[in-house]
Every structure is written in C-alpha cells, then in structure tokens.
Amino acid sequence: MQLLPFKSIHFQATAPGVRVLILGAVHGNELHGTHGITRVVSEIDAGALAIARGSVTFVPITNPKAYALQQRNGDRNLNRNLAPSAHVTEYEDHVGNWLCPLMAQHDVLLDLHSFQAQGKPFALIGPRNNSDALQPFSKAAIEESLVARLGVERVVYGWLDTYAVGVAKRRERMHDAANRHTIDPKYGVGTTEYMRSVGGAAITLECGQHHDPLGAEVAYRAIRNTLAHLKISDETDPNPAAQMECLRLAEVIDRDDAGDTFAKSWTSFDAVAKGELIGRRADGHALQAPANGRIVFPNALAQPGNEWFYFAHQDARL
C-alpha cells in the first residue's frame, strides 16, 4: 500500500500572535475534522477569511495509513503513548516523530474527533493548574475560556490522572500482560497530553457520531470560533456557552473477562443512581454505581485488560 505523505497547511500573518494547530483524522475513520479543515482552508485561500495575526497550521489527515484503510488505527492507536521514538516499529511511530515536533512549535492545539455511539458533541480539557509529577500544568484558563466558545455544552476532564490510577490497578492484576503497553501509565498520553507536556494548551473536540451529517459543521464552526477567540482572525469573539455541563472522570473500570457483561446497552453520559447495577463480572459479581453520576465511554466490545467504562460525576469547574 502506498501511503499518503504527511501534509500540513500553514498560514502565517505578518503581525505577531498565537500559534494554533488544528488536527483532523488522528483516527482514520473520524472525518468530521478533515471536512471542517478543508472548508476553512478553502475560505482562507479564497480571501473569505483573513489570518490577521499569529499563525494557524492545519493537518487534515494526521494518520495517513489509518485514513487509507478507512479504520481507526494503522498499526496501533496513535492517540495512546504518543511521543517521538528512536526505535520505529509501527507506522504510528513515524507519525509521532513528525507530529510531536510540530506540536512543540505551537501554543494551542484543537484536535477534532468523532465517536461510535449516538450522542451530542462534547469536549475534553486538561487538568486544573497543578505542580504534580503526572501532568504539571499552568494554562487551564486558556483551555477553559476556549472550550466555552467551541459551540458545545458538555466538557469532560480528569482523563490522564484517572487513567493512571486505572493502570496501577491493572498492573496488580496483569503481571504477565501480553500487551505490556496497557500497563504503562504513558499509554494514556495522546495528542493533547503531549501538547501540554511541551508547554501548550490543548482541547479535544468530539464532533458527534462518525456518520452524523451535522458533525462536519460542528468542526467547521469550532475552527472559526477558535480563530476568532484567539484573535487570529478579526471576527467577533463568540459569546461563551450560556450553560456548560462539566463532568470529572472519577474512575475507569476494565473488562477483566470476555464474560463480563453490561446490565443494559449503555450510551455515553447516561445518568446512573448510587447503587444502580451497571454490569456483572463473569463470576456473577455485581458492579454498581458508587454514587450518582454518569457512565462515560462504555465499550461493550472491549478486550479483556482494557477500559470497559468510566464513571464520572458533576463538577462545578466551569
């Protein structure tokens, strides 16, 4: 298979300003971002949208192999354990060696995705400002201000630290795991986590279900709003969302056995009450909600030893 070359499109204004990077198709079957990027680039080329200050770099297809295969991954998930690699063994290592230096040249990242189940678009942001060893961060205000203007009304945070706790539990159970990467805390590092590690701010926008006809419009509007809010364009800064639901990931639960089953067909962000049955282990042990909250990212097809679902609760951060 002849793969597409890596491609980025860069627009640089003469006036100084923020340097923003916008990614599409990190997963090859998630194309809303690609379509939104293509539309905005066409408008810039036609003179319908001016880049007034700073710069914007677009990557319409971040993972060309996965895109060519029309599937989520090439050899592995690009959005896990992302870092430059001196020992290239998988195609995504090539992508990382090109993409990570590109991210380091920018101030803000907007990574555009879509999801499998039905549901409304939502965004993920990083941690509150902190000096912890796992993910020290000082630019929470930038992410919080931008996410409120992307055009969605739900935001989730707490990914990396929740994932790290889950990995520690997984390591206790899986000393001889065939896939050693699943017990490495760095496996939780994707595009946004890497961007924060090199000093930037970053947001993942899930634009809707993969085939939602409105998903490309969500991506397009988010790009335009980002350029306006960061003053890269001279368009009016959008008003923040009147209502923003904020959820804090609190726990990740792995599927331990192929016989582990959900009590019902859960959809992401379904509400659960304390004590409500979520699923049962293969041995019959009941998994119940530890408190009132939400089921997030349920995956009935998860392989044993991988994330089965997350539990989240309401948070007053935004």
Side-chain angles (χ1 to χ4, degrees):
M1 176 189 297
Q2 184 174 1
L3 298 175
L4 295 170
F6 300 129
K7 175 183 177 181
S8 64
I9 304 162
H10 182 72
F11 297 94
Q12 176 74 52
T14 56
V18 177
R19 301 167 300 172
V20 65
L21 174 65
I22 300 177
L23 303 181
V26 164
H27 296 132
N29 62 339
E30 300 181 13
L31 303 183
H32 294 324
T34 303
H35 298 320
I37 287 171
T38 300
R39 182 177 170 188
V40 174
V41 168
S42 295
E43 292 176 342
I44 297 171
D45 284 340
L49 175 64
I51 302 304
R53 56 193 64 83
S55 68
V56 56
T57 303
F58 298 98
V59 181
I61 300 169
T62 308
N63 190 332
K65 181 174 184 177
Y67 177 83
L69 294 171
Q70 299 182 29
Q71 63 189 31
R72 180 177 176 84
N73 306 330
D75 295 332
R76 63 173 171 83
N77 189 344
L78 176 61
N79 221 20
R80 297 288 187 275
N81 205 8
L82 179 62
S85 176
H87 304 287
V88 174
T89 59
E90 297 171 309
Y91 177 76
E92 279 74 10
D93 295 329
H94 291 290
V95 182
N97 284 343
W98 172 74
L99 180 61
C100 290
L102 183 64
M103 285 194 282
Q105 296 167 17
H106 292 80
D107 304 310
V108 177
L109 167 67
L110 177 62
D111 188 7
L112 301 164
H113 287 254
S114 59
F115 46 83
Q116 177 62 42
Q118 295 298 320
K120 297 192 302 182
F122 66 96
L124 296 101
I125 60 174
R128 298 176 186 269
N129 290 340
N130 70 91
S131 56
D132 298 340
L134 180 64
Q135 191 179 196
F137 194 49
S138 63
K139 298 184 178 178
I142 297 174
E143 294 186 3
E144 292 167 1
S145 181
L146 177 56
V147 77
R149 291 164 170 84
L150 292 182
V152 297
E153 296 180 339
R154 175 179 286 147
V155 62
V156 178
Y157 81 103
W159 158 259
L160 192 58
D161 53 344
T162 300
Y163 188 87
V165 172
V167 165
K169 293 179 180 178
R170 185 182 298 163
R171 188 181 295 112
E172 294 175 358
R173 299 191 308 270
M174 300 175 61
H175 298 293
D176 298 319
N179 295 320
R180 303 297 297 177
H181 57 273
T182 67
I183 58 174
D184 182 349
K186 292 182 180 178
Y187 192 61
V189 174
T191 57
T192 52
E193 291 76 25
Y194 185 83
M195 184 69 181
R196 295 183 194 109
S197 76
V198 294
I203 295 175
T204 296
L205 178 62
E206 297 281 356
C207 299
Q209 200 273 340
H210 295 326
H211 305 293
D212 185 341
L214 299 179
E217 178 68 24
V218 172
Y220 168 78
R221 183 48 51 195
I223 296 169
R224 293 289 297 253
N225 289 358
T226 295
L227 298 181
H229 179 63
L230 297 177
K231 302 187 185 305
I232 293 170
S233 77
D234 279 329
E235 293 190 297
T236 302
D237 189 5
N239 292 325
Q243 292 185 323
M244 181 72 78
E245 178 186 46
C246 185
L247 296 172
R248 170 73 162 90
L249 296 177
E251 185 177 5
V252 57
I253 292 86
D254 282 355
R255 194 178 194 192
D256 293 341
D257 188 281
D260 295 349
T261 57
F262 283 130
K264 58 183 278 190
S265 181
W266 295 105
T267 297
S268 209
F269 304 110
D270 278 347
V272 291
K274 182 178 180 179
E276 184 174 350
L277 181 66
I278 296 174
R280 290 188 181 277
R281 295 295 189 186
D283 62 4
H285 175 73
L287 290 178
Q288 297 171 303
N292 294 339
R294 301 289 185 94
I295 299 295
V296 182
F297 311 138
N299 183 3
L301 302 179
Q303 295 298 310
N306 289 273
E307 305 103 290
W308 194 19
F309 65 93
Y310 286 77
F311 178 77
H313 56 71
Q314 297 279 350
D315 190 273
R317 176 175 173 180
L318 296 178

mmCIF file of all heavy atoms in Angstrom, residues 224-263:
data_model
loop_
_atom_site.group_PDB
_atom_site.id
_atom_site.type_symbol
_atom_site.label_atom_id
_atom_site.label_comp_id
_atom_site.label_asym_id
_atom_site.label_seq_id
_atom_site.Cartn_x
_atom_site.Cartn_y
_atom_site.Cartn_z
ATOM 1 N N ARG A 224 -13.632 28.083 13.252
ATOM 2 C CA ARG A 224 -13.849 29.519 13.086
ATOM 3 C C ARG A 224 -13.896 30.221 14.438
ATOM 4 O O ARG A 224 -13.315 31.311 14.609
ATOM 5 C CB ARG A 224 -15.149 29.765 12.300
ATOM 6 C CG ARG A 224 -15.126 29.309 10.848
ATOM 7 C CD ARG A 224 -14.239 30.198 9.974
ATOM 8 N NE ARG A 224 -14.697 31.568 9.893
ATOM 9 C CZ ARG A 224 -15.266 32.114 8.815
ATOM 10 N NH1 ARG A 224 -15.466 31.379 7.717
ATOM 11 N NH2 ARG A 224 -15.618 33.393 8.807
ATOM 12 N N ASN A 225 -14.574 29.623 15.404
ATOM 13 C CA ASN A 225 -14.654 30.228 16.738
ATOM 14 C C ASN A 225 -13.289 30.291 17.406
ATOM 15 O O ASN A 225 -12.967 31.255 18.109
ATOM 16 C CB ASN A 225 -15.634 29.454 17.607
ATOM 17 C CG ASN A 225 -17.084 29.648 17.192
ATOM 18 O OD1 ASN A 225 -17.378 30.398 16.269
ATOM 19 N ND2 ASN A 225 -17.984 28.957 17.871
ATOM 20 N N THR A 226 -12.476 29.252 17.201
ATOM 21 C CA THR A 226 -11.128 29.240 17.776
ATOM 22 C C THR A 226 -10.282 30.368 17.205
ATOM 23 O O THR A 226 -9.597 31.094 17.945
ATOM 24 C CB THR A 226 -10.451 27.883 17.505
ATOM 25 O OG1 THR A 226 -11.172 26.854 18.197
ATOM 26 C CG2 THR A 226 -9.003 27.882 17.971
ATOM 27 N N LEU A 227 -10.313 30.533 15.895
ATOM 28 C CA LEU A 227 -9.532 31.590 15.258
ATOM 29 C C LEU A 227 -9.991 32.967 15.728
ATOM 30 O O LEU A 227 -9.168 33.869 15.929
ATOM 31 C CB LEU A 227 -9.638 31.480 13.740
ATOM 32 C CG LEU A 227 -9.102 30.183 13.116
ATOM 33 C CD1 LEU A 227 -9.254 30.222 11.601
ATOM 34 C CD2 LEU A 227 -7.660 29.927 13.507
ATOM 35 N N ALA A 228 -11.290 33.133 15.928
ATOM 36 C CA ALA A 228 -11.807 34.420 16.403
ATOM 37 C C ALA A 228 -11.419 34.671 17.853
ATOM 38 O O ALA A 228 -10.957 35.765 18.212
ATOM 39 C CB ALA A 228 -13.327 34.462 16.245
ATOM 40 N N HIS A 229 -11.601 33.652 18.706
ATOM 41 C CA HIS A 229 -11.330 33.841 20.127
ATOM 42 C C HIS A 229 -9.851 34.108 20.400
ATOM 43 O O HIS A 229 -9.507 34.909 21.279
ATOM 44 C CB HIS A 229 -11.794 32.612 20.915
ATOM 45 C CG HIS A 229 -11.536 32.714 22.377
ATOM 46 N ND1 HIS A 229 -12.119 33.676 23.171
ATOM 47 C CD2 HIS A 229 -10.731 31.981 23.209
ATOM 48 C CE1 HIS A 229 -11.714 33.530 24.425
ATOM 49 N NE2 HIS A 229 -10.863 32.522 24.469
ATOM 50 N N LEU A 230 -8.979 33.451 19.647
ATOM 51 C CA LEU A 230 -7.538 33.632 19.846
ATOM 52 C C LEU A 230 -6.999 34.831 19.071
ATOM 53 O O LEU A 230 -5.795 35.055 19.041
ATOM 54 C CB LEU A 230 -6.793 32.359 19.440
ATOM 55 C CG LEU A 230 -7.129 31.111 20.262
ATOM 56 C CD1 LEU A 230 -6.376 29.900 19.728
ATOM 57 C CD2 LEU A 230 -6.836 31.318 21.740
ATOM 58 N N LYS A 231 -7.910 35.572 18.419
ATOM 59 C CA LYS A 231 -7.585 36.803 17.691
ATOM 60 C C LYS A 231 -6.678 36.550 16.489
ATOM 61 O O LYS A 231 -5.947 37.450 16.038
ATOM 62 C CB LYS A 231 -6.986 37.862 18.627
ATOM 63 C CG LYS A 231 -7.905 38.231 19.795
ATOM 64 C CD LYS A 231 -7.365 39.395 20.594
ATOM 65 C CE LYS A 231 -8.220 39.677 21.819
ATOM 66 N NZ LYS A 231 -9.650 39.886 21.505
ATOM 67 N N ILE A 232 -6.715 35.345 15.982
ATOM 68 C CA ILE A 232 -6.004 35.058 14.737
ATOM 69 C C ILE A 232 -6.768 35.656 13.566
ATOM 70 O O ILE A 232 -6.176 36.140 12.602
ATOM 71 C CB ILE A 232 -5.804 33.540 14.598
ATOM 72 C CG1 ILE A 232 -4.849 33.048 15.696
ATOM 73 C CG2 ILE A 232 -5.262 33.169 13.218
ATOM 74 C CD1 ILE A 232 -4.745 31.565 15.813
ATOM 75 N N SER A 233 -8.082 35.624 13.654
ATOM 76 C CA SER A 233 -8.913 36.349 12.703
ATOM 77 C C SER A 233 -9.494 37.578 13.400
ATOM 78 O O SER A 233 -9.433 37.694 14.631
ATOM 79 C CB SER A 233 -10.047 35.466 12.172
ATOM 80 O OG SER A 233 -11.081 35.344 13.140
ATOM 81 N N ASP A 234 -10.079 38.473 12.613
ATOM 82 C CA ASP A 234 -10.698 39.674 13.178
ATOM 83 C C ASP A 234 -12.204 39.513 13.377
ATOM 84 O O ASP A 234 -12.901 40.490 13.625
ATOM 85 C CB ASP A 234 -10.442 40.887 12.266
ATOM 86 C CG ASP A 234 -9.049 41.473 12.487
ATOM 87 O OD1 ASP A 234 -8.547 41.381 13.630
ATOM 88 O OD2 ASP A 234 -8.468 42.000 11.518
ATOM 89 N N GLU A 235 -12.695 38.283 13.276
ATOM 90 C CA GLU A 235 -14.104 38.056 13.537
ATOM 91 C C GLU A 235 -14.410 38.298 15.012
ATOM 92 O O GLU A 235 -13.524 38.185 15.885
ATOM 93 C CB GLU A 235 -14.501 36.631 13.148
ATOM 94 C CG GLU A 235 -14.441 36.376 11.647
ATOM 95 C CD GLU A 235 -15.063 35.053 11.279
ATOM 96 O OE1 GLU A 235 -14.537 34.011 11.730
ATOM 97 O OE2 GLU A 235 -16.069 35.052 10.544
ATOM 98 N N THR A 236 -15.656 38.604 15.310
ATOM 99 C CA THR A 236 -16.071 38.875 16.683
ATOM 100 C C THR A 236 -15.904 37.628 17.549
ATOM 101 O O THR A 236 -16.286 36.523 17.156
ATOM 102 C CB THR A 236 -17.544 39.316 16.715
ATOM 103 O OG1 THR A 236 -17.692 40.485 15.899
ATOM 104 C CG2 THR A 236 -17.993 39.629 18.131
ATOM 105 N N ASP A 237 -15.331 37.816 18.713
ATOM 106 C CA ASP A 237 -15.154 36.714 19.656
ATOM 107 C C ASP A 237 -16.528 36.165 20.039
ATOM 108 O O ASP A 237 -17.393 36.913 20.499
ATOM 109 C CB ASP A 237 -14.426 37.227 20.905
ATOM 110 C CG ASP A 237 -14.010 36.112 21.849
ATOM 111 O OD1 ASP A 237 -14.194 34.929 21.503
ATOM 112 O OD2 ASP A 237 -13.515 36.431 22.947
ATOM 113 N N PRO A 238 -16.766 34.864 19.865
ATOM 114 C CA PRO A 238 -18.082 34.309 20.213
ATOM 115 C C PRO A 238 -18.362 34.440 21.707
ATOM 116 O O PRO A 238 -17.441 34.400 22.539
ATOM 117 C CB PRO A 238 -17.971 32.838 19.814
ATOM 118 C CG PRO A 238 -16.784 32.750 18.925
ATOM 119 C CD PRO A 238 -15.856 33.844 19.339
ATOM 120 N N ASN A 239 -19.634 34.569 22.039
ATOM 121 C CA ASN A 239 -20.025 34.549 23.438
ATOM 122 C C ASN A 239 -19.822 33.147 24.005
ATOM 123 O O ASN A 239 -20.012 32.153 23.295
ATOM 124 C CB ASN A 239 -21.491 34.947 23.599
ATOM 125 C CG ASN A 239 -21.732 36.406 23.252
ATOM 126 O OD1 ASN A 239 -20.890 37.253 23.508
ATOM 127 N ND2 ASN A 239 -22.882 36.695 22.659
ATOM 128 N N PRO A 240 -19.455 33.040 25.276
ATOM 129 C CA PRO A 240 -19.349 31.710 25.880
ATOM 130 C C PRO A 240 -20.719 31.045 25.975
ATOM 131 O O PRO A 240 -21.753 31.730 25.976
ATOM 132 C CB PRO A 240 -18.772 31.995 27.270
ATOM 133 C CG PRO A 240 -19.117 33.415 27.548
ATOM 134 C CD PRO A 240 -19.122 34.117 26.225
ATOM 135 N N ALA A 241 -20.730 29.732 26.031
ATOM 136 C CA ALA A 241 -21.978 28.987 26.152
ATOM 137 C C ALA A 241 -22.737 29.435 27.393
ATOM 138 O O ALA A 241 -22.142 29.639 28.460
ATOM 139 C CB ALA A 241 -21.689 27.493 26.223
ATOM 140 N N ALA A 242 -24.047 29.597 27.243
ATOM 141 C CA ALA A 242 -24.869 30.033 28.375
ATOM 142 C C ALA A 242 -24.887 28.987 29.470
ATOM 143 O O ALA A 242 -24.932 29.313 30.667
ATOM 144 C CB ALA A 242 -26.288 30.330 27.902
ATOM 145 N N GLN A 243 -24.863 27.716 29.093
ATOM 146 C CA GLN A 243 -24.824 26.613 30.046
ATOM 147 C C GLN A 243 -23.768 25.618 29.597
ATOM 148 O O GLN A 243 -23.718 25.251 28.422
ATOM 149 C CB GLN A 243 -26.181 25.919 30.152
ATOM 150 C CG GLN A 243 -27.274 26.762 30.793
ATOM 151 C CD GLN A 243 -28.554 25.978 30.969
ATOM 152 O OE1 GLN A 243 -28.914 25.158 30.122
ATOM 153 N NE2 GLN A 243 -29.241 26.207 32.069
ATOM 154 N N MET A 244 -22.933 25.203 30.513
ATOM 155 C CA MET A 244 -21.893 24.232 30.203
ATOM 156 C C MET A 244 -21.885 23.164 31.296
ATOM 157 O O MET A 244 -21.599 23.463 32.457
ATOM 158 C CB MET A 244 -20.531 24.910 30.111
ATOM 159 C CG MET A 244 -19.380 23.968 29.773
ATOM 160 S SD MET A 244 -19.390 23.380 28.063
ATOM 161 C CE MET A 244 -18.742 24.824 27.213
ATOM 162 N N GLU A 245 -22.222 21.939 30.918
ATOM 163 C CA GLU A 245 -22.155 20.836 31.870
ATOM 164 C C GLU A 245 -20.708 20.357 31.963
ATOM 165 O O GLU A 245 -20.084 20.039 30.946
ATOM 166 C CB GLU A 245 -23.046 19.684 31.425
ATOM 167 C CG GLU A 245 -22.983 18.489 32.369
ATOM 168 C CD GLU A 245 -23.753 17.285 31.859
ATOM 169 O OE1 GLU A 245 -23.601 16.955 30.664
ATOM 170 O OE2 GLU A 245 -24.488 16.680 32.652
ATOM 171 N N CYS A 246 -20.175 20.305 33.155
ATOM 172 C CA CYS A 246 -18.808 19.859 33.366
ATOM 173 C C CYS A 246 -18.815 18.560 34.157
ATOM 174 O O CYS A 246 -19.463 18.467 35.212
ATOM 175 C CB CYS A 246 -18.006 20.925 34.117
ATOM 176 S SG CYS A 246 -16.253 20.517 34.314
ATOM 177 N N LEU A 247 -18.107 17.560 33.658
ATOM 178 C CA LEU A 247 -18.019 16.258 34.300
ATOM 179 C C LEU A 247 -16.561 15.929 34.581
ATOM 180 O O LEU A 247 -15.688 16.140 33.743
ATOM 181 C CB LEU A 247 -18.609 15.172 33.406
ATOM 182 C CG LEU A 247 -20.103 15.284 33.094
ATOM 183 C CD1 LEU A 247 -20.492 14.257 32.041
ATOM 184 C CD2 LEU A 247 -20.932 15.087 34.352
ATOM 185 N N ARG A 248 -16.328 15.410 35.768
ATOM 186 C CA ARG A 248 -14.985 14.991 36.187
ATOM 187 C C ARG A 248 -14.910 13.474 36.174
ATOM 188 O O ARG A 248 -15.701 12.802 36.852
ATOM 189 C CB ARG A 248 -14.694 15.519 37.598
ATOM 190 C CG ARG A 248 -13.431 14.954 38.259
ATOM 191 C CD ARG A 248 -12.187 15.534 37.617
ATOM 192 N NE ARG A 248 -11.005 15.389 38.414
ATOM 193 C CZ ARG A 248 -10.157 14.342 38.361
ATOM 194 N NH1 ARG A 248 -10.411 13.325 37.552
ATOM 195 N NH2 ARG A 248 -9.079 14.326 39.118
ATOM 196 N N LEU A 249 -14.032 12.919 35.339
ATOM 197 C CA LEU A 249 -13.824 11.474 35.370
ATOM 198 C C LEU A 249 -13.277 11.081 36.735
ATOM 199 O O LEU A 249 -12.341 11.704 37.243
ATOM 200 C CB LEU A 249 -12.849 11.040 34.277
ATOM 201 C CG LEU A 249 -13.306 11.255 32.835
ATOM 202 C CD1 LEU A 249 -12.202 10.853 31.863
ATOM 203 C CD2 LEU A 249 -14.575 10.474 32.536
ATOM 204 N N ALA A 250 -13.879 10.055 37.324
ATOM 205 C CA ALA A 250 -13.500 9.666 38.684
ATOM 206 C C ALA A 250 -12.883 8.279 38.749
ATOM 207 O O ALA A 250 -12.074 8.000 39.640
ATOM 208 C CB ALA A 250 -14.725 9.718 39.600
ATOM 209 N N GLU A 251 -13.254 7.409 37.824
ATOM 210 C CA GLU A 251 -12.777 6.030 37.903
ATOM 211 C C GLU A 251 -12.896 5.382 36.533
ATOM 212 O O GLU A 251 -13.844 5.636 35.782
ATOM 213 C CB GLU A 251 -13.602 5.238 38.921
ATOM 214 C CG GLU A 251 -13.114 3.827 39.175
ATOM 215 C CD GLU A 251 -13.926 3.102 40.240
ATOM 216 O OE1 GLU A 251 -14.923 3.668 40.718
ATOM 217 O OE2 GLU A 251 -13.568 1.963 40.583
ATOM 218 N N VAL A 252 -11.922 4.535 36.191
ATOM 219 C CA VAL A 252 -12.002 3.724 34.991
ATOM 220 C C VAL A 252 -12.079 2.269 35.427
ATOM 221 O O VAL A 252 -11.356 1.825 36.327
ATOM 222 C CB VAL A 252 -10.810 3.956 34.043
ATOM 223 C CG1 VAL A 252 -9.469 3.695 34.728
ATOM 224 C CG2 VAL A 252 -10.935 3.091 32.791
ATOM 225 N N ILE A 253 -12.977 1.532 34.811
ATOM 226 C CA ILE A 253 -13.178 0.127 35.138
ATOM 227 C C ILE A 253 -12.831 -0.692 33.907
ATOM 228 O O ILE A 253 -13.370 -0.465 32.815
ATOM 229 C CB ILE A 253 -14.632 -0.149 35.595
ATOM 230 C CG1 ILE A 253 -14.907 0.522 36.947
ATOM 231 C CG2 ILE A 253 -14.874 -1.646 35.708
ATOM 232 C CD1 ILE A 253 -15.343 1.950 36.858
ATOM 233 N N ASP A 254 -11.925 -1.642 34.063
ATOM 234 C CA ASP A 254 -11.510 -2.515 32.971
ATOM 235 C C ASP A 254 -12.472 -3.682 32.809
ATOM 236 O O ASP A 254 -13.145 -4.096 33.757
ATOM 237 C CB ASP A 254 -10.121 -3.081 33.239
ATOM 238 C CG ASP A 254 -9.010 -2.106 32.953
ATOM 239 O OD1 ASP A 254 -9.289 -1.006 32.447
ATOM 240 O OD2 ASP A 254 -7.834 -2.443 33.250
ATOM 241 N N ARG A 255 -12.498 -4.218 31.619
ATOM 242 C CA ARG A 255 -13.147 -5.508 31.392
ATOM 243 C C ARG A 255 -12.108 -6.581 31.678
ATOM 244 O O ARG A 255 -11.074 -6.655 31.008
ATOM 245 C CB ARG A 255 -13.636 -5.609 29.948
ATOM 246 C CG ARG A 255 -14.615 -6.760 29.724
ATOM 247 C CD ARG A 255 -15.120 -6.798 28.305
ATOM 248 N NE ARG A 255 -16.270 -7.672 28.171
ATOM 249 C CZ ARG A 255 -16.772 -8.073 27.017
ATOM 250 N NH1 ARG A 255 -16.222 -7.662 25.878
ATOM 251 N NH2 ARG A 255 -17.830 -8.864 26.985
ATOM 252 N N ASP A 256 -12.370 -7.395 32.664
ATOM 253 C CA ASP A 256 -11.389 -8.399 33.076
ATOM 254 C C ASP A 256 -11.509 -9.695 32.296
ATOM 255 O O ASP A 256 -10.537 -10.437 32.153
ATOM 256 C CB ASP A 256 -11.552 -8.713 34.572
ATOM 257 C CG ASP A 256 -11.198 -7.533 35.452
ATOM 258 O OD1 ASP A 256 -10.505 -6.613 34.970
ATOM 259 O OD2 ASP A 256 -11.625 -7.525 36.626
ATOM 260 N N ASP A 257 -12.730 -9.989 31.823
ATOM 261 C CA ASP A 257 -13.018 -11.282 31.199
ATOM 262 C C ASP A 257 -14.028 -11.058 30.083
ATOM 263 O O ASP A 257 -14.873 -10.166 30.171
ATOM 264 C CB ASP A 257 -13.585 -12.239 32.256
ATOM 265 C CG ASP A 257 -13.736 -13.660 31.751
ATOM 266 O OD1 ASP A 257 -14.733 -13.928 31.038
ATOM 267 O OD2 ASP A 257 -12.881 -14.505 32.065
ATOM 268 N N ALA A 258 -13.950 -11.871 29.039
ATOM 269 C CA ALA A 258 -14.908 -11.748 27.941
ATOM 270 C C ALA A 258 -16.332 -12.008 28.412
ATOM 271 O O ALA A 258 -17.292 -11.609 27.744
ATOM 272 C CB ALA A 258 -14.542 -12.710 26.816
ATOM 273 N N GLY A 259 -16.479 -12.654 29.568
ATOM 274 C CA GLY A 259 -17.801 -12.916 30.120
ATOM 275 C C GLY A 259 -18.364 -11.771 30.933
ATOM 276 O O GLY A 259 -19.519 -11.841 31.393
ATOM 277 N N ASP A 260 -17.604 -10.710 31.128
ATOM 278 C CA ASP A 260 -18.138 -9.513 31.804
ATOM 279 C C ASP A 260 -19.183 -8.871 30.887
ATOM 280 O O ASP A 260 -18.924 -8.656 29.696
ATOM 281 C CB ASP A 260 -17.016 -8.507 32.081
ATOM 282 C CG ASP A 260 -15.990 -9.021 33.072
ATOM 283 O OD1 ASP A 260 -16.237 -10.062 33.708
ATOM 284 O OD2 ASP A 260 -14.935 -8.371 33.207
ATOM 285 N N THR A 261 -20.358 -8.553 31.433
ATOM 286 C CA THR A 261 -21.446 -8.028 30.612
ATOM 287 C C THR A 261 -22.090 -6.812 31.274
ATOM 288 O O THR A 261 -22.149 -6.704 32.494
ATOM 289 C CB THR A 261 -22.532 -9.087 30.380
ATOM 290 O OG1 THR A 261 -23.026 -9.554 31.638
ATOM 291 C CG2 THR A 261 -21.987 -10.257 29.576
ATOM 292 N N PHE A 262 -22.566 -5.902 30.441
ATOM 293 C CA PHE A 262 -23.319 -4.758 30.930
ATOM 294 C C PHE A 262 -24.748 -5.178 31.271
ATOM 295 O O PHE A 262 -25.309 -6.091 30.639
ATOM 296 C CB PHE A 262 -23.366 -3.641 29.885
ATOM 297 C CG PHE A 262 -22.099 -2.842 29.774
ATOM 298 C CD1 PHE A 262 -21.507 -2.620 28.537
ATOM 299 C CD2 PHE A 262 -21.520 -2.278 30.900
ATOM 300 C CE1 PHE A 262 -20.356 -1.855 28.430
ATOM 301 C CE2 PHE A 262 -20.355 -1.518 30.806
ATOM 302 C CZ PHE A 262 -19.776 -1.314 29.572
ATOM 303 N N ALA A 263 -25.332 -4.470 32.223
ATOM 304 C CA ALA A 263 -26.716 -4.743 32.607
ATOM 305 C C ALA A 263 -27.695 -4.243 31.559
ATOM 306 O O ALA A 263 -28.837 -4.706 31.501
ATOM 307 C CB ALA A 263 -27.014 -4.086 33.953
#
